Amino acid sequence: MSFLQRIGGELTLEGVGLESIAERFGTPCYVYSRAAIEGAYREFDEGLAGIPHLVCYAVKANSNLAVLDTLRRLGAGFDIVSGGELARVLAAGGRADRVIFSGVGKSRGEMRAALEAGIRCFNVESEPELERLDAIAGALGKRAPVSLRINPDVDARTHPYISTGLAGNKFGIPHDRALAAYLKAASLPNLRVIGIGCHIGSQILDTAPLDEALDRVLELAQSLAAQGMKPEHLDLGGGFGIRYRDEVAPDIRGYCEALAKKLSSAGYQVMLEPGRAIVGPAGMLLTRVEYLKLDKAKRFAVVDASMSELMRPALYGSYHEIVEVSERGAGAPQRFDVVGPVCESTDVLGTDRALAIEPGSLLAILSAGAYGMAMASNYNTRVRPAEVLVDGARALEVRPRETIESLFSSEKRIDDAPAR
Ligand SMILES: *Cc1c(COP(=O)(O)O)cnc(C)c1O
């Protein structure tokens, strides 16, 4: 994260000191860099500049309205996976005609809301979904724009929990069923078939599987064209990996430029759906050391953040770099497991980390802008943290820390609960 710099021994984001952010907003606290989000988006957008394209940010990675607002102002589209995300995009000022709707389980209500809003496209993942969408569009007197999500059966070579393009997976329409599904879609009166897409997984570091998937999609697009059903757009999904530890992230601009070159005369609009690559490196979780437990076989640093705020290490065994915000004090580094207060043995944020810390030290858990706050829960009745967007010299509180009362304000004691 190039917007992260150490100045006079203190870690800063866009030049704003992180100690002062922690003092103002408390800990734990998510902090994002607006410039980093914008810079990452432009890698995609400028890389594809040679061809018609729409970069649809995958909202689920980080759905804070300020993040969506930042991207909307740059002309981004949005890839949503629920009616809730549609409502967020609209609340952030996003345009419905730049929204594409992915996901295997769209409900009737979600379809209705998206049709009424006038979204750009439904990425349909099964034949029963085609039928449901056709019926709902018909009832509303509309024609639903659809693209089929094809499962290209390529191995994204990433973590099995975040690999989505293999045959044995719940996502997409099997490659060998695709033509039949297109014929079916074309036969339904209230659908308008406009695209073809795929999304093979997340945290992809090697772009060869993406190229393979593109070839499969292109092949299919050509067979469709031969049958008079040439799609208007190709959607190649998201999944671009980032550096958490020592990974080499793909060169996004270079990948997009090569893509634009390859498709320059193919006559399609190209869509991508990046989430992690846009917000992941742009965010961090600030946390303070509460206690050092030194009397066990291992040394533990107990911090005020936990798996409730950042679930990725507990869920996927993910690695996040953890660094001291201030280099002052605390002597020579020693090895610690960094753990939270939650009552689960999986509540570990990092193992065996060399840190020079004492109680009260501030730590930054890096590359936490994607699938961090978006996956946070209230487990152990913990309030979700504040979110702060650093924008040049300003630090904007784009979501205040929750209050404890708000966590149970809609719950009822037995005598107060209405019987239904
Ligand atoms: C999750 C998801 C994305 C975004 O994935 P990243 O790894 O965050 O880029 C894009 N498209 C679809 C359909 C998704 O489910």
Side-chain angles (χ1 to χ4, degrees):
M1 188 155 57
S2 56
F3 299 94
L4 199 57
Q5 267 193 313
R6 218 170 257 291
I7 300 177
E10 188 191 341
L11 207 59
T12 64
L13 188 64
E14 294 189 36
V16 177
L18 292 168
E19 270 295 350
S20 81
I21 289 192
E23 276 158 28
R24 268 180 281 167
F25 302 101
T27 56
C29 167
Y30 275 101
V31 189
Y32 313 122
S33 158
R34 179 176 179 181
I37 295 170
E38 292 178 339
Y41 171 79
R42 290 201 172 104
E43 293 288 298
F44 288 97
D45 191 41
E46 292 173 9
L48 290 172
I51 51 170
H53 67 276
L54 185 62
V55 179
C56 294
Y57 167 66
V59 173
K60 72 176 189 282
N62 184 326
S63 56
N64 186 288
L65 293 197
V67 171
L68 304 181
D69 190 13
T70 296
L71 290 163
R72 156 193 92 75
R73 289 165 191 245
L74 301 179
F78 295 97
D79 175 45
I80 60 167
V81 292
S82 72
E85 289 188 351
L86 174 60
R88 278 183 176 275
V89 168
L90 298 176
R95 283 169 45 171
D97 65 358
R98 290 195 184 151
V99 169
I100 57 179
F101 192 170
S102 301
V104 293
K106 300 174 194 77
S107 70
R108 291 184 176 85
E110 287 175 326
M111 285 179 174
R112 255 180 237 116
L115 282 165
E116 272 160 1
I119 66 164
R120 170 75 138 251
C121 193
F122 289 85
N123 289 349
V124 172
E125 301 216 13
S126 68
E127 293 177 54
E129 188 188 333
L130 283 175
E131 287 166 16
R132 178 183 279 188
L133 184 57
D134 178 65
I136 289 172
L140 292 176
K142 295 187 188 280
R143 276 187 92 187
V146 304
S147 166
L148 298 191
R149 174 171 173 182
I150 303 308
N151 190 329
D153 195 17
V154 302
D155 186 352
R157 299 196 270 280
T158 179
H159 192 289
Y161 287 10
I162 51 177
S163 182
T164 58
L166 274 170
N169 194 284
K170 76 174 176 183
F171 296 101
I173 293 169
H175 191 245
D176 54 9
R177 287 286 308 161
L179 211 50
Y182 269 96
L183 289 170
K184 168 158 200 131
S187 76
L188 294 171
N190 307 305
L191 302 184
R192 191 162 57 82
V193 183
I194 61 167
I196 176 167
C198 69
H199 170 73
I200 61 170
S202 197
Q203 185 57 12
I204 297 168
L205 295 166
D206 171 7
T207 55
L210 294 171
D211 295 337
E212 245 176 273
L214 168 62
D215 287 341
R216 292 262 169 124
V217 166
L218 272 175
E219 224 171 86
L220 195 59
Q222 277 147 17
S223 340
L224 293 174
Q227 310 225 9
M229 295 189 288
K230 181 172 174 168
E232 294 167 25
H233 77 248
L234 304 183
D235 178 349
L236 301 171
F240 305 91
I242 65 172
R243 181 181 172 279
Y244 286 103
R245 186 176 197 166
D246 48 13
E247 303 93 329
V248 180
D251 164 17
I252 297 299
R253 191 178 287 263
Y255 169 82
C256 289
E257 283 170 356
L259 189 59
K261 199 165 161 209
K262 177 162 178 167
L263 297 176
S264 62
S265 57
Y268 302 108
Q269 182 187 43
V270 171
M271 293 191 185
L272 294 177
E273 305 170 350
R276 186 191 314 269
I278 289 182
V279 289
M284 69 180 77
L285 178 61
L286 292 181
T287 182
R288 248 184 231 289
V289 176
E290 296 275 23
Y291 303 99
L292 299 182
K293 281 187 80 167
L294 308 175
D295 55 346
K296 318 260 294 192
K298 285 174 126 182
R299 306 163 60 88
F300 291 98
V302 183
V303 299
D304 64 5
S306 72
M307 65 186 285
S308 297
E309 293 76 39
L310 180 63
M311 188 161 45
R312 298 188 68 257
L315 187 61
Y316 308 119
S318 311
Y319 183 96
H320 285 267
E321 205 177 322
I322 302 176
V323 298
E324 303 92 338
V325 168
S326 174
E327 279 177 341
R328 288 181 295 276
Q334 289 177 300
R335 301 226 154 239
F336 293 96
D337 280 12
V338 179
V339 301
V342 163
C343 302
E344 296 287 342
S345 295
T346 53
D347 185 23
V348 177
L349 297 166
T351 51
D352 200 30
R353 304 303 177 88
L355 294 166
I357 47 176
E358 58 195 4
S361 294
L362 185 63
L363 295 173
I365 305 178
L366 302 183
S367 302
Y371 306 106
M373 184 63 169
M375 285 185 164
S377 76
N378 296 117
Y379 187 43
N380 280 205
T381 304
R382 293 172 60 81
V383 294
R384 280 179 298 173
E387 291 178 283
V388 174
L389 183 72
V390 171
D391 178 20
R394 301 188 296 170
L396 308 173
E397 185 179 53
V398 295
R399 174 174 169 141
R401 185 177 311 285
E402 287 176 332
T403 63
I404 288 175
E405 300 68 40
S406 75
L407 299 188
F408 52 79
S409 62
S410 62
E411 296 174 26
K412 303 270 188 274
R413 297 187 354 162
I414 287 172
D415 288 342
D416 302 330
R420 296 197 203 238

